[in-house]
Amino acid sequence: MTALEAYARRAEEYTALLGSVEAMAPADVRRIETWARTACGPLLDLGCGPGHWTAHLAALGLEVEGWDPVAEFVRSARDRHPGTVYRRAALADLEGHPGAWGGILVWYSLIHLEPAAMPGALSALHRALRRGGTLLLGFFDGARQEPFDHAVAPAQHWPVGRMTELVEAAGFEVVDVETRTDPGARPHAAVHARAPH
């Protein structure tokens, strides 16, 4: 079963457990809000899942839309957050929107990618940003790049140093990096990066 099929099968359960900003770590809320308010231009929540981050940013008055390849998530997001823009679309669809976005939120959206696909994914994100646009990438930190049994589908740990190297190799300038481990949670990392002017 692919990751998309696994998420489609468990979309309702996933949304009930994790489909609200209130269920998120307060530090993540602050981080995403701060990043979004400094972005210049429209925002994309790529891999938006149940759509809670998209709706939260829209409620702050920001221009944003959410993309997800899982039809069940997109339907649920539209039902739960009317007035917010959601599309059934994936990373590959960025190729049709070069230089379109002032900021792209990729919050745990690439965790299921095979490692060999990560450089191409980051390059696609870079091409989709305007000059000066920013990326906020959230992922599971780890001492080694290695897979693990995620609750929905196999996922990857990435050492934050290695991910930073890949982000820079894709043409980004890293603005800052955050790591932390919350009680009862896997180690978290976030990379904030800019597409140079």
Side-chain angles (χ1 to χ4, degrees):
M1 183 186 304
T2 68
L4 291 185
E5 291 168 339
Y7 275 101
R9 181 172 292 185
R10 300 184 65 178
E12 186 174 343
E13 173 191 359
Y14 186 96
T15 299
L17 288 173
L18 299 170
S20 70
V21 170
E22 291 72 25
M24 302 294 100
D28 290 345
V29 178
R30 291 190 297 272
R31 176 77 167 177
I32 290 172
E33 288 180 350
T34 300
W35 162 80
R37 287 183 168 125
T38 62
C40 184
L43 303 176
L44 174 62
D45 181 5
L46 182 66
C48 67
H52 48 294
W53 289 121
T54 319
H56 183 67
L57 296 178
L60 297 178
L62 301 170
E63 181 183 356
V64 60
E65 60 183 69
W67 289 12
D68 202 278
V70 177
E72 290 80 359
F73 276 148
V74 174
R75 282 196 296 270
S76 175
R78 288 171 175 165
D79 289 344
R80 295 167 66 238
H81 307 293
T84 304
V85 178
Y86 297 99
R87 304 185 193 281
R88 187 179 182 192
L91 178 73
D93 296 298
L94 289 176
E95 297 300 337
H97 301 268
W101 308 100
I104 303 179
L105 177 64
V106 190
W107 204 248
Y108 286 81
S109 305
L110 302 183
I111 61 171
H112 303 292
L113 275 188
E114 288 298 321
M118 187 62 74
L122 293 170
S123 293
L125 290 163
H126 187 277
R127 290 190 295 273
L129 283 166
R130 299 175 176 181
R131 290 183 179 180
T134 59
L135 170 74
L136 185 59
L137 174 67
F139 57 97
F140 292 111
D141 191 14
R144 295 177 301 280
Q145 191 286 301
E146 60 185 1
F148 69 94
D149 289 330
H150 182 270
V152 178
Q156 301 285 332
H157 283 293
W158 282 93
V160 68
R162 177 58 179 150
M163 183 64 80
T164 301
E165 290 173 357
L166 292 174
V167 168
E168 291 175 335
F172 288 97
E173 296 174 348
V174 172
V175 177
D176 61 68
V177 176
E178 172 199 26
T179 59
R180 72 170 195 275
T181 302
D182 295 334
R186 293 185 178 91
H188 157 81
V191 175
H192 175 198
R194 178 178 293 111
H197 288 282

